[in-house]
Amino acid sequence: MGSARLAAKRGVDAVARAERDVQRQAERIRELFLAAAVTAASAEEQIAETVALGCRLVGCEAGAVFELDRAVDDESPVPERLCRLGLGTEGTLALDDLQGLPYIAADDDGKPSGFVAYIGAPIMVRGVVVGTLNFATKQQREEPFSETDRDLVQLISALIGSAIDRRRSRERLRRLAYFDTLTGLPNRVQFVERLRETVTGIVSAGERRRLAVVFLDLDHFKEINDTFGHGRGDAVLSVVGERLRERVGDRGMVARMSGDEFAVLLERGPDLEEVDAFAESLRAAIDAPIVIGGYEQYATASIGVSIYPEDGTDAETLVKHADVAMYRAKEKGRNFVQFYTPVLNAAMTTRLQQEKALRKALARSEFLVYYQPQFELATGKLFGIEALVRWHHPKLGLIRPDLFIPNAESSSVIVLIGELVMEMACQQLVKWQRRGLPELRVSVNLSARQFHETDLLKRARSVLESTGLDPQTLEFEITESVAMDDAERSTEIMRTLRDVGIRFCLDDFGTSYSSLGYLKSFPIDTLKIDQSFVRDIMTEQDDATIVRTVIAMAHNLGLDVCAEGTETEDQLNFLRQNTCDRVQGYFYSRPVPPEEFERFVDDALAAKQPAQSEAGSAV
Ligand code: C2E
Ligand code: CA
Ligand code: CA
């Protein structure tokens, strides 16, 4: 063949090849378009499908996307070094018959890669190279990669770029949708979703695990914001979020629910006492001073807890009940941990249902009486005990009276509970007298209904008779407001009981009327100064003055004074200096069950001094 013919033939071949290429390319692009038009469920799926299709269209058995900001995928069929080849290039890099070239002779761990041909292109997202798209083959190719191959790879790479862009937008959106921007914590949506998933997981696995939902709401946060500005408010929220995150660690999830509200999901099958201790530790963590720009800032939180499955078997109910409990904690003076109990949820539970629960508890003998000792200040002698009711709920454990007494008071069930306590306390005292315990007085709290609506004298007599207790050792505690409600009749009732020998103590003195005129006419023996005054006598000048005045005034009227809620030695000394007669409080002992009280007395007798009790099991 002459050189001219050869050239002509080459020309024809080239034209034919070009025509063939154009046709093939049109088909390939149509296929690519069709694939791209079908939106895959996720960007990730779309990338995978596009790479797989690309392999076929380019004629390679291996294809991979290598992204710069992602960990290298070990499963990737194309070694990393090969992928990196495409990074620095503009357009497409195609290397045919690469065998022998050092960079692809072996793959990343030194084994021969076996790839002989490679084509790749950078992937751009919004003008920035974010990775490369790579195809490689171990087959010897008949022809080198052509311009149209390169164009195709660029098109595929652009498609993948847009899929990555879509994925990144979604991730950004997800961050915005699922995280709180200020603290970086998960937000309410994520919290509820995770709670829902966890509950579903427990149910479908047939587990009997518990979960705890802890709601925390900062107290008086608005004041911080208003007084110190939003910048300071935000800083406080960040610190609180960080402290919670540290405290919770891998035991569960912390979320910022809204403004100054956080929530914790405890997942590691906690028992109730653990949850209680844990919630307390969260409270204490927030309570610690927060230093911002050299200034100390103080924040406290009111905390509500609900437990799966006791307080709800779905996410919404658990969240709602934790919230109800949190509000209750606020009502109780803030900086407080409150468990949800069914009786709390006045909105959901009708009064009738609450009453039913309490009646059932009565029928099942779930009420217990705890005892808290009272001491004579001058001598340090054990003087008496106050009977304080507890509800031992089969599921919720021990419930403090302030959680059910207010509900009980709205119906006659309080009378039944009160009479039960009176009877149990009297019985217990007689039992102790027989055992030879020192002479004690027992104080029993009376509710308004018990005092005003029952024949108290008759009931008291019948209990005294059946137990054989000396009436002189029985004392009733009523609050000022109970006494002041129809003061004349109240005076009359007290007088009839006093005639039998029973004494009266005015409880929580200072919290309501404090009407001195009536105080004089009430036939009472003792004033009990409310613990809210005692709590602050060392720090609040006013409270110290009030306590001093009340003691002096009571003594003038010939009354004894008992200070409740005495927790520290300083308070004790203050009260002693101001000639308070008796004290009661955690300094000596919490209210404890009868057996523990016996041990307490035995120990105190042995030591001849009223010992401080570490009554751990008490509430
Ligand atoms: P209360 O009659 O004022 O009883 C004193 C409360 O103060 C008790 O709470 C006791 O545990 C707590 N307390 C004692 N010492 C300290 C202390 O040093 N520091 C602090 N922070 N607290 C101390 P509890 O036992 O939870 O009783 C709460 C209230 O429930 C009682 O207040 C009383 O109003 C009512 N309650 C208890 N038992 C009965 C009952 O049998 N009948 C009626 N009607 N009400 C009862
Ligand atoms: Ca009392
Ligand atoms: Ca009291």
Side-chain angles (χ1 to χ4, degrees), residues 255-484:
R256 181 169 171 219
M257 301 299 271
S258 65
D260 59 349
E261 204 172 80
F262 295 84
V264 174
L265 169 62
L266 265 193
E267 292 187 341
R268 299 264 170 98
D271 75 36
L272 291 183
E273 266 172 46
E274 259 174 55
V275 175
D276 196 14
F278 179 76
E280 266 305 325
S281 81
L282 296 182
R283 194 192 56 71
I286 295 174
D287 207 5
I290 297 171
V291 181
I292 297 165
Y295 289 96
E296 280 195 351
Q297 186 77 59
Y298 290 87
T300 58
S302 298
I303 301 181
V305 184
S306 70
I307 303 285
Y308 169 89
E310 283 87 348
D311 300 334
T313 50
D314 62 80
E316 284 70 23
T317 311
L318 288 166
V319 165
K320 195 168 88 194
H321 288 175
D323 204 35
V324 168
M326 187 274 289
Y327 271 100
R328 188 59 214 229
K330 289 253 184 234
E331 279 169 23
K332 288 177 70 174
R334 302 162 200 269
N335 197 12
F336 190 80
V337 175
Q338 172 71 59
F339 273 63
Y340 176 79
T341 72
V343 283
L344 275 186
N345 193 356
M348 250 195 37
T349 322
T350 62
R351 216 179 241 196
L352 197 66
Q353 281 172 306
Q354 296 170 22
E355 204 187 313
K356 265 192 192 156
L358 289 166
R359 286 188 195 276
K360 204 153 129 194
L362 273 166
R364 293 182 179 175
S365 310
E366 286 167 8
F367 292 107
L368 309 171
V369 180
Y370 274 37
Y371 298 91
Q372 186 178 34
Q374 232 181 61
F375 293 89
E376 251 171 28
L377 254 180
T379 60
K381 243 184 70 191
L382 179 61
F383 175 85
I385 45 178
E386 178 174 2
L388 293 156
V389 68
R390 298 288 181 267
W391 179 4
H392 189 85
H393 191 283
K395 280 184 186 154
L396 298 166
L398 217 53
I399 303 179
R400 284 186 311 231
D402 24 343
L403 293 186
F404 61 88
I405 290 283
N407 283 323
E409 269 168 350
S410 67
S411 82
S412 62
V413 74
I414 185 65
V415 173
L416 300 175
I417 297 173
E419 285 175 358
L420 176 70
V421 172
M422 192 198 313
E423 191 176 336
M424 287 170 81
C426 292
Q427 246 165 23
Q428 185 63 66
L429 198 66
V430 170
K431 212 166 121 195
W432 279 332
Q433 285 168 353
R434 296 210 177 113
R435 248 202 70 187
L437 255 65
E439 187 149 308
L440 296 173
R441 188 187 289 178
V442 63
S443 309
V444 173
N445 292 283
L446 296 185
S447 76
R449 277 178 192 263
Q450 238 180 318
F451 184 78
H452 288 294
E453 296 174 20
T454 70
D455 188 345
L456 192 57
L457 179 65
K458 195 170 141 206
R459 313 275 172 131
R461 268 199 174 131
S462 117
V463 169
L464 289 170
E465 264 163 37
S466 70
T467 57
L469 185 75
D470 174 2
Q472 303 279 343
T473 55
L474 179 61
E475 178 178 69
F476 285 144
E477 294 192 3
I478 57 172
T479 61
E480 273 180 289
S481 47
V482 169
M484 289 295 297

Side-chain angles (χ1 to χ4, degrees), residues 507-508 528 530 564:
D507 203 357
D508 302 345
K528 215 174 202 186
D530 189 67
E564 70 179 357

Side-chain angles (χ1 to χ4, degrees), residues 134-264:
N134 318 276
F135 298 104
T137 175
K138 295 178 180 173
Q139 312 292 320
Q140 292 290 345
R141 290 175 55 86
E142 284 169 18
E143 289 170 9
F145 287 115
S146 65
E147 268 317 305
T148 54
D149 289 327
R150 288 166 191 256
D151 288 349
L152 187 73
V153 170
Q154 284 218 335
L155 273 173
I156 300 173
S157 150
L159 280 180
I160 288 174
S162 79
I164 289 177
D165 193 24
R166 187 156 70 90
R167 190 190 62 207
R168 289 187 175 185
S169 303
R170 280 218 186 146
E171 278 166 5
R172 249 196 318 274
L173 213 58
R174 197 189 98 83
R175 277 207 77 74
L176 288 176
Y178 284 95
F179 288 88
D180 165 53
T181 34
L182 175 67
T183 58
L185 292 173
N187 65 9
R188 181 180 202 102
V189 175
Q190 193 181 344
F191 184 84
V192 174
E193 258 176 36
R194 165 98 162 256
L195 178 59
R196 204 176 283 143
E197 279 163 17
T198 313
V199 167
T200 315
I202 293 178
V203 173
S204 59
E207 286 178 79
R208 297 181 52 111
R209 174 152 74 95
R210 271 200 169 116
L211 296 174
V213 174
V214 183
F215 252 55
L216 306 96
D217 190 286
L218 297 187
D219 300 325
H220 308 297
F221 181 70
K222 196 177 165 299
E223 282 164 31
I224 298 182
N225 255 343
D226 291 350
T227 316
F228 302 101
H230 286 268
R232 180 80 76 90
D234 284 354
V236 168
L237 290 173
S238 301
V239 171
V240 168
E242 194 42 51
R243 285 184 185 172
L244 292 176
R245 185 165 22 207
E246 265 170 30
R247 197 57 55 119
V248 174
D250 60 1
R251 300 179 62 184
M253 164 188 239
V254 185
R256 181 169 171 219
M257 301 299 271
S258 65
D260 59 349
E261 204 172 80
F262 295 84
V264 174

